[in-house]
Amino acid sequence: MSKRVLKVHPDDNVIVALSDIKKGEIVEYDQKPYELTSDIPAKHKFAQADFEIGEEIYMYGVLVGKAHQKIKKGEWITTFNVKHAASEFNIGERNTDWQVPDVSEYSNRTFMGYHRANGEVGTANYWIVLPMVFCENRNLDIMKSALVDDLGYGKKTKYKNYAKSLIDLYTAGKNIEDILSVEIDGNESTATEKIFKNVDGIKFLTHDMGCGGTRQDAQALCGLLAGYITHPNVAGATVLSLGCQNAQYHMLQEEIEKRGGMNQKPIYFLEQQQLGTEELLVSNAIKQTFGGLIEANKIERKPASIDKLILGLECGGSDGFSGISANPAIGFTSDLLVALGGTVILAEFPELCGVEQELSDRCMITENAEKFNHLMTTYNNRAKAVGSGFDMNPSPGNIKDGLITDAIKSAGAAKKGGTSPVTDVLDYPEKVIKKGLNLLCTPGNDVESTTAEVGSGANIVLFTTGLGTPTGNPIVPVIKLSSNTKLAEKMSDIIDINTGSIIEGTETIEQAGRRILDFVINAASGTQEVKAVTNGQDDFIPWKRGVSL
């Protein structure tokens, strides 16, 4: 490691430890010595100067907290001596100038995608089965057991016969201590060869909504499901309904039309209360789905322009390095894609607290700045009304690894969005319709936000993590990036790209950003399978418009 400490922005008054530093050690930054008054763990910060109670703390060039106690120069910045604070925001001047990166090396690049009738291009080709209401989840499970393995979409797993091995030990007379001490080599099961070579899989999107909530929740659910049905990665859909639920099929049809209609994609709708028995419902659903797969298999990958990529940006299990390595790296990737005419979605509104003014000013039109400010204020007020607020967003894991206030976490999270102007602001579950950088109102919750980004049209998701999280999506590749090398080595089964090289000084943010875009193009073409797909990580959680941080 070439440096032990780092100041992220010239206006900051805290310094980041890039490695563990002991109390009493003297470190130098910008030719000035700092004697540490306490141990400083890697990823955490220490005071650049003495702070009185109430003095403002700056990081990433923005207000991120205020001193809750007197803090000495060289002292560890913690939740005990600093409390969350963020700047006010309003409708300011438009500030849409940005340094457009050189993209000449990508001018002739394409990816191999699935072209749809409306001009959109998918990075995968799935058939989806979804319920209008949670009452149908069991029938989806029956369909899944009948279709997935026999059609060759079952995932290999070494745990298939794990329980049998334990049973054999037990019946052989082994006691608990013996069984727990035995290393079991699970035999990896052999997957059936795929019947439909051009179909990546059948995905079953079970959920716990559709009835019992508010009518607004039902409408939002229909909008989200319509986003998946009309998604460029989806060839067609089978929809199961009970019949009496809040989320009615006509609502789904209305939401589909809002997104441009089915565009020659087949959709099969079956209602249990109309058909009668479970057997009639499931057998018809299986047969119609099989017929749909035959049609879906006729579609093949063909070259597509990079501007057909829609990149969702997500972070989860963030640490003190996320905003220094992984997030700014994918921020540069975002700028590259925008410069190439592509589309980017920055979401997680609770994790944009403290950087509202910058993002608001970057909106190309005042109406979008007003919409963004309204969504942020309304969301935060809704959280405060139940005794919470954006300041309660950081998780125990975030805090343990250096993200001690929401503003610190947010300022680093916003780096995912790069520096390009904001072309549109969307409320959940609206569809992306404009090229460039879009802001989408979602929770900070990893799965709810990723689910929403895909529902709005993202056909690739970049997901940064510092602590490690396995989040994926049923229909879109979720590329996992680690903020540090230790995580990449420790959890290599879920990490696709390591950006710890930035912390170690062996790679610049720009170099990492270009490396990430190359990976994205390969993943979009189906030549690079990402770990979340390999692991069958099919997370899908619709957002109930209550308070979720």
Side-chain angles (χ1 to χ4, degrees):
M1 184 175 291
S2 58
K3 294 187 294 185
R4 298 190 68 195
V5 296
L6 171 72
K7 190 159 79 166
V8 178
H9 189 278
D11 295 338
D12 293 354
N13 51 20
V14 295
I15 297 173
V16 183
L18 299 181
S19 60
D20 293 342
I21 306 173
K22 295 294 184 183
K23 177 181 179 180
E25 283 194 64
I26 296 175
V27 295
E28 190 174 283
Y29 182 80
D30 198 20
Q31 299 181 331
K32 295 178 182 177
Y34 297 88
E35 182 175 351
L36 282 304
T37 65
S38 55
D39 291 346
I40 310 294
K43 310 178 186 180
H44 285 255
K45 297 88 189 166
F46 61 87
Q48 185 178 352
D50 292 339
F51 291 104
E52 295 296 321
I53 294 175
E55 282 198 68
E56 296 179 335
I57 310 293
Y58 281 82
M59 190 176 172
Y60 298 100
V62 299
L63 176 66
V64 296
K66 290 184 178 181
H68 187 61
Q69 302 173 354
K70 287 187 176 183
I71 305 173
K72 295 180 180 179
K73 176 182 176 181
E75 187 176 344
W76 186 12
I77 300 295
T78 71
T79 53
F80 297 102
N81 56 29
V82 171
K83 296 299 179 185
H84 168 83
S87 298
E88 298 293 323
F89 57 96
N90 50 47
I91 303 301
E93 297 292 324
R94 303 299 93 223
N95 182 16
T96 57
D97 291 337
W98 67 302
Q99 187 65 46
V100 181
D102 178 11
V103 292
S104 55
E105 67 180 289
Y106 296 100
S107 59
N108 295 319
R109 294 285 297 275
T110 59
F111 73 97
M112 297 296 289
Y114 293 95
H115 294 249
R116 305 301 180 186
N118 62 354
E120 295 177 350
V121 180
T123 61
N125 192 34
Y126 287 102
W127 188 275
I128 59 173
V129 184
L130 50 88
M132 295 294 295
V133 63
F134 55 80
C135 306
E136 292 300 318
N137 284 346
R138 177 177 175 274
N139 289 327
L140 262 71
D141 289 340
I142 295 170
M143 290 181 65
K144 185 176 181 179
S145 65
L147 288 169
V148 170
D149 286 342
D150 287 345
L151 292 178
Y153 297 117
K155 290 293 181 182
K156 292 181 180 180
T157 171
K158 66 179 181 180
Y159 304 110
K160 186 84 171 179
N161 298 314
Y162 207 87
K164 184 178 183 303
S165 298
L166 295 174
I167 292 168
D168 289 344
L169 290 170
Y170 173 71
T171 55
K174 301 292 184 181
N175 59 32
I176 293 176
E177 290 75 16
D178 291 336
I179 291 173
L180 293 178
S181 65
V182 170
E183 288 290 333
I184 298 176
D185 293 324
N187 295 319
E188 195 170 88
S189 60
T190 303
T192 305
E193 186 176 348
K194 282 202 318 184
I195 304 300
F196 301 110
K197 305 296 183 184
N198 295 322
V199 180
D200 291 296
I202 314 170
K203 298 298 181 178
F204 297 81
L205 310 186
T206 56
H207 57 80
D208 64 355
M209 292 182 65
C211 202
T214 66
R215 294 300 190 269
Q216 291 85 349
D217 281 341
Q219 191 71 46
L221 173 67
C222 288
L224 178 73
L225 298 182
Y228 274 72
I229 291 168
T230 60
H231 195 281
N233 283 22
V234 171
T238 304
V239 181
L240 301 191
S241 169
L242 179 60
C244 57
Q245 71 276 347
N246 288 345
Q248 286 291 305
Y249 185 51
H250 71 84
M251 296 164 62
L252 178 63
Q253 288 175 311
E254 290 168 3
E255 293 292 341
I256 288 172
E257 290 305 313
K258 285 182 187 178
R259 290 156 179 79
M262 289 302 294
N263 289 296
Q264 301 177 28
K265 290 182 183 179
I267 180 171
Y268 306 126
F269 179 76
L270 300 98
E271 186 173 294
Q272 187 169 2
Q273 290 173 346
Q274 184 181 61
L275 285 170
T277 66
E278 175 190 287
E279 183 179 355
L280 273 173
L281 176 78
V282 173
S283 61
N284 275 286
I286 290 174
K287 286 186 289 186
Q288 291 187 341
T289 298
F290 193 86
L293 291 168
I294 294 172
E295 291 300 312
N297 194 51
K298 296 175 182 177
I299 306 168
E300 297 182 354
R301 289 186 184 269
K302 296 178 181 178
S305 171
I306 292 177
D307 66 5
K308 296 295 186 180
L309 291 175
I310 304 175
L311 196 61
L313 308 172
E314 186 68 26
C315 57
S318 300
D319 71 346
F321 285 161
S322 291
I324 301 172
S325 58
N327 289 348
I330 69 171
F332 188 72
T333 305
S334 302
D335 284 349
L336 290 172
L337 188 58
V338 171
L340 288 161
T343 308
V344 176
I345 303 172
L346 179 64
E348 300 177 286
F349 273 26
E351 297 179 9
L352 300 179
C353 176
V355 293
E356 295 98 334
Q357 191 65 61
E358 180 209 344
L359 289 170
S360 174
D361 293 348
R362 282 166 59 186
C363 290
M364 295 183 70
I365 59 174
T366 303
E367 288 81 359
N368 278 335
E370 291 171 345
K371 184 176 181 179
F372 173 63
N373 292 4
H374 171 72
L375 288 170
M376 287 292 290
T377 301
T378 303
Y379 197 160
N380 197 14
N381 288 342
R382 191 185 302 132
K384 288 179 179 178
V386 294
S388 188
F390 284 174
D391 58 303
M392 295 188 181
N393 174 263
S395 69
N398 295 148
I399 294 168
K400 179 177 178 291
D401 268 51
L403 302 178
I404 63 169
T405 73
D406 185 54
I408 290 178
K409 181 179 180 181
S410 296
K415 294 295 180 183
K416 301 193 301 290
T419 60
S420 68
V422 175
T423 58
D424 208 358
V425 175
L426 307 170
D427 194 7
Y428 174 85
E430 288 183 283
K431 179 179 178 175
V432 169
I433 57 173
K434 292 184 180 179
K435 299 281 189 177
L437 176 61
N438 291 254
L439 304 181
L440 172 65
C441 183
T442 75
N445 177 290
D446 302 348
V447 179
E448 288 176 331
S449 182
T450 302
T451 299
E453 288 182 342
V454 173
S456 289
N459 54 16
I460 286 280
V461 174
L462 289 178
F463 189 120
T464 68
T465 182
L467 305 176
T469 173
T471 302
N473 183 266
I475 66 168
V476 166
V478 177
I479 301 169
K480 213 63 59 60
L481 303 97
S482 67
S483 70
N484 61 90
T485 301
K486 183 177 180 181
L487 171 64
E489 294 172 345
K490 182 181 180 181
M491 301 182 76
S492 60
D493 59 329
I494 67 169
I495 298 298
D496 297 291
I497 299 173
N498 176 32
T499 64
S501 50
I502 296 170
I503 301 297
E504 293 152 10
T506 60
E507 189 176 34
T508 67
I509 288 170
E510 293 75 15
Q511 288 170 335
R514 292 180 187 278
R515 175 165 60 92
I516 293 164
L517 182 54
D518 289 335
F519 191 101
V520 165
I521 293 170
N522 290 334
S525 299
T527 57
Q528 173 68 64
E529 187 173 70
V530 305
K531 300 293 179 63
V533 175
T534 304
N535 296 333
Q537 193 76 41
D538 293 338
D539 302 299
F540 178 81
I541 302 180
W543 180 27
K544 296 178 182 178
R545 286 302 295 261
V547 178
S548 178
L549 298 178

